Amino acid sequence: MGGRDATMVLLDENGIRCDGRKVDEPRRIMIKAGGLKNADGSAYIEFGDNKILVGVFGPRDVHPKHMSNTDTGILRVRYHMEPFSVGERKNPAPSRREIEISKVIKEALEPAVMLDKFPRTAVDVFIEVLQADGGTRCAALSAASVALADAGIPMRDMVAAIAAGKVADTIVLDVNNEEDQAGQADMPIGYMPNLEKITLLQLDGVLTPEEYKKCVQVGVDGCKIVYDIQKKALQDKYFGNGGD
Ligand code: CDP
């Protein structure tokens, strides 16, 4: 992955980060619900320089049939990075990282999706990362939630996601790619804001128990910012003039 500029200042004396943000400030987030005519639901997210498209299909029949569950529906998630989405061309074949992130996102969405309403069927979530810049799993998870809602899949809550982390000995919201490479900890969090439950929590790095608690709080607060943008995306499509 990308190298680090040794001269880069991660946090200056005024508490400003390498990309001009304050410690508790997320990157620019834009979410659009809908857009893919052939999908049952879809969403597009720009999260800083990340650009990700999500299509949802289903509930639909499962083939082969023995993969289905007579008691409940199943959720299938495929996270895929386009070869051109990163600086150094990525091999289009599924990498171990993509398989892991697909599983992580699926497990983060499952508590929110009422699959028991669709026994014997599958809901498929296809995630295409068009441009990656650190934090794609959180951006993809946030967009996938909107795409599921856009598909009319009954949900207990949305899942909003963002990473908190430790950079230059300070807990910050929304670790960018440079901070991830050079920083001390990265903690992606997925959170259901109404149920007040965390559905994804990963930690890459080292934190004290106090820093860990602060990181979770900063991340949860950040998820609430993302949630407002998710809601606005759905409101714009269904009650505003941004629909298609
Ligand atoms: O994207 P996320 O932070 O969820 O996952 P990561 O595995 O921590 O990757 C961090 C970043 O590394 C990605 O967002 C990409 O910008 C970059 N990356 C890359 O340049 N080439 C890859 N093959 C995979 C990731």
Side-chain angles (χ1 to χ4, degrees):
M1 294 197 231
R4 183 191 168 191
D5 174 0
T7 61
M8 186 173 64
V9 177
L10 288 172
L11 195 65
D12 74 12
E13 63 276 13
N14 301 313
I16 299 299
R17 294 154 71 179
C18 60
D19 57 8
R21 286 182 292 147
K22 300 191 207 103
V23 289
D24 59 353
E25 190 180 338
R27 287 172 283 183
R28 186 189 71 89
I29 306 167
M30 188 284 291
I31 306 178
K32 184 179 185 306
L36 290 181
K37 178 167 93 161
N38 296 327
D40 294 310
S42 55
Y44 172 69
I45 188 166
E46 289 184 5
F47 197 117
D49 282 338
N50 293 297
K51 297 185 182 192
I52 301 171
L53 190 57
V54 181
V56 168
F57 297 80
R60 60 185 181 181
D61 288 346
V62 182
H63 299 290
K65 270 211 156 36
H66 69 85
M67 299 288 284
S68 67
N69 186 328
T70 47
D71 299 328
T72 183
I74 54 172
L75 188 65
R76 297 186 294 203
V77 174
R78 190 189 74 151
Y79 164 102
H80 177 249
M81 280 179 119
E82 296 297 338
F84 55 79
S85 64
V86 285
E88 194 174 319
R89 182 184 179 276
K90 190 209 149 274
N91 186 321
S95 62
R96 281 176 56 179
R97 175 181 169 275
E98 286 168 299
I99 293 165
E100 185 223 317
I101 294 181
S102 300
K103 181 171 182 286
V104 161
I105 293 176
K106 170 177 130 71
E107 289 174 357
L109 287 169
E110 269 169 348
V113 182
M114 295 171 149
L115 288 166
D116 49 317
K117 301 227 180 282
F118 306 102
R120 286 183 286 274
T121 66
V123 174
D124 288 303
V125 179
F126 293 99
I127 296 165
E128 290 297 331
V129 179
L130 309 175
Q131 187 169 287
D133 191 43
T136 58
R137 79 194 61 205
C138 289
L141 175 53
S142 300
S145 270
V146 174
L148 283 162
D150 183 49
I153 307 292
M155 292 166 81
R156 296 180 181 87
D157 202 348
M158 295 290 276
V159 182
I162 199 162
K166 183 177 170 186
V167 173
D169 294 327
T170 307
I171 303 302
V172 302
L173 178 64
D174 186 21
V175 176
N176 70 23
N177 206 20
E178 286 76 34
E179 291 172 334
D180 188 20
Q181 305 295 320
Q184 297 154 317
D186 178 30
M187 183 193 276
I189 294 183
Y191 180 69
M192 295 192 287
N194 297 292
L195 297 173
E196 298 184 3
K197 291 216 160 75
I198 291 171
T199 70
L200 162 72
L201 195 142
Q202 295 184 290
L203 172 60
D204 182 12
V206 180
L207 296 172
T208 65
E210 289 69 34
E211 287 170 338
Y212 172 83
K213 278 192 209 140
K214 172 126 200 249
C215 235
V216 171
Q217 193 53 56
V218 166
V220 164
D221 290 345
C223 287
K224 292 177 187 168
I225 299 173
V226 174
Y227 177 56
D228 285 341
I229 299 166
Q230 290 175 305
K231 271 195 301 191
K232 187 174 176 305
L234 289 163
Q235 281 162 356
D236 282 352
K237 177 168 176 193
Y238 289 100
F239 306 113
N241 51 13
D244 49 8

